Amino acid sequence: MAARDTAGKIRNVGPKSAAWLRQVGVRTQDDLVRLGAVEAFMKVKRAGFRPSLNLLYALEGALADCHWADLPEERKAALLTGAEAAEAANPIKTRWQKQADRSAAVAQASGNSSDEGNGSPHGFPDDADGAAAHADKDSAANRFE
């Protein structure tokens, strides 16, 4: 097995994963040792990337100085449990969920909550009755006969 390169490339990590890691501040083997495999993996996920579990295993393999496929199944299961626990403790939200949370907070702060009885969850007046009456009147005119 090759010796660890603490100043440069992290073992088992390809160019795409290395770019993700650089973007979240994991640039060297020392950075990886400081964080651990699970936390480095979670930083990549929280940054919005979609890594597979192979990255988690590759990071652990880099720490153990072995190929990721050589990790024992028990260790892989423990890593998966650790990643699931980290995500449960601090759930990862999509950008859509974050935007919905911000919009709800702004609506609450301004007092224009959608629960004030205007009939629509989107803040528009409820037009269901008017739309139904309109549909009956227009249905004859919209036929293709």
Side-chain angles (χ1 to χ4, degrees):
M1 289 189 187
R4 294 181 194 188
D5 182 8
T6 58
K9 183 180 175 197
I10 298 172
R11 181 180 176 159
N12 299 328
V13 175
K16 186 173 189 176
S17 297
W20 291 346
L21 289 165
R22 277 193 307 272
Q23 289 185 35
V24 298
V26 182
R27 292 177 174 78
T28 65
Q29 182 80 19
D30 290 337
D31 293 335
L32 181 57
V33 169
R34 182 177 44 81
L35 285 173
V38 172
E39 185 57 32
F41 177 77
M42 294 309 295
K43 285 181 79 134
V44 170
K45 277 189 87 167
R46 286 191 181 103
F49 301 111
R50 296 179 46 149
S52 71
L53 290 176
N54 286 349
L55 177 61
L56 178 59
Y57 303 150
L59 295 173
E60 183 65 19
L63 292 173
D65 198 26
C66 68
H67 190 272
W68 68 268
D70 295 335
L71 289 173
E73 288 303 316
E74 300 83 30
R75 185 63 194 138
K76 289 180 182 178
L79 289 167
L80 180 57
T81 301
E84 288 171 347
E87 189 164 346
N90 186 6
I92 298 170
K93 294 185 177 183
T94 65
R95 63 181 174 162
W96 289 203
Q97 292 167 319
K98 290 176 186 175
Q99 180 60 41
D101 290 349
R102 283 192 295 269
S103 295
V106 168
Q108 260 185 347
S110 67
N112 292 333
S113 171
S114 62
D115 296 333
E116 290 184 357
N118 62 9
S120 171
H122 305 293
F124 298 112
D126 190 8
D127 194 24
D129 296 317
H134 230 7
D136 290 339
K137 184 176 80 173
D138 291 339
S139 62
N142 289 331
R143 291 193 182 146
F144 293 105
E145 295 178 34

